[in-house]
Amino acid sequence: LVMRIAKIYETQKNWKKALKTYSRYIKKYGKAQPEMVPGLYLSRALIIQREGGKRTRAKATAELKKAQKSYGRLKDKQKEDAKVRQAMAKVMFLQAEYKYDDFEAIQLTFPIRKLKKALVAKAKLLGECEKLFFEVTSYKSFHVSAGALYRIGESYYVYAKSLFDLPMPKGLSEDEEITYRAMLDDRAAPLQEKAIDATKNALKLAHKNHVYNEWSRKAAALLAKLSPELFPVLEDAVVNTEWDVPAT
């Protein structure tokens, strides 16, 4: 009954009462049903995100950390429950998404001094994003894992594209321009290959586990963009059946 009341408040967009009701459930029934608690903290985090306002990220992250802490107190058998795994996969995914936002926000711009600093910061965040998104897959909730694997591929693509799109510095000779462009291509090409490999994994997981959601669609679209020779889509939206690759 308490859970139904909380859901009704959510439907009404009465965020304060929904948050209060979930807290009421945790306080009154959390010890008797600890496997419910991670999902309830997740629900609170999602409400805070929808509500918006000041310190949204900090408040939502605090709820996600509580979810992790409550999950750590569960017995092994409880941790294997499908609903618990799905809740924790979403908890980790939301935290990884915040890190991805930080990664995406860093712009590669001149002068060179500023560019070098941005390259280091973006590369560091790329590694942190990849680690967090891989952690999502450990919970074996495939609908969420599809999103995590796609994000890994997309992050490599975004980094590679930011390098490919860097403008030509002023004052370079023709030979220097060729050298500069070759240097950028040498740095960006391996990142694009990693983007293709990671996105292939996302699509492979989707086909293997029958996951067809927004993330599998995005993975297919990105692969068609990055590697059209391997993942062709005809103009009339009919998949070319002559190719032995997953349908895009």
Side-chain angles (χ1 to χ4, degrees), residues 143 146-147 150 199 202-203 206-207 211-225 233 247-248:
H143 284 76
Y150 167 76
T199 313
L203 200 59
H207 283 290
V211 175
Y212 302 105
N213 57 13
E214 62 169 312
W215 301 113
S216 58
R217 289 196 298 273
K218 286 182 177 182
L222 184 56
L223 280 172
K225 184 176 183 178
V233 179
T248 56

Side-chain angles (χ1 to χ4, degrees), residues 1 18 45 66 68 90 105 110 119 125 143 173 190 195 200 203:
L1 180 60
K66 290 176 184 176
Q68 282 183 269
K90 289 180 178 178
F110 290 102
L119 282 168
L125 284 169
H143 284 76
S173 67
K200 278 182 181 178
L203 200 59

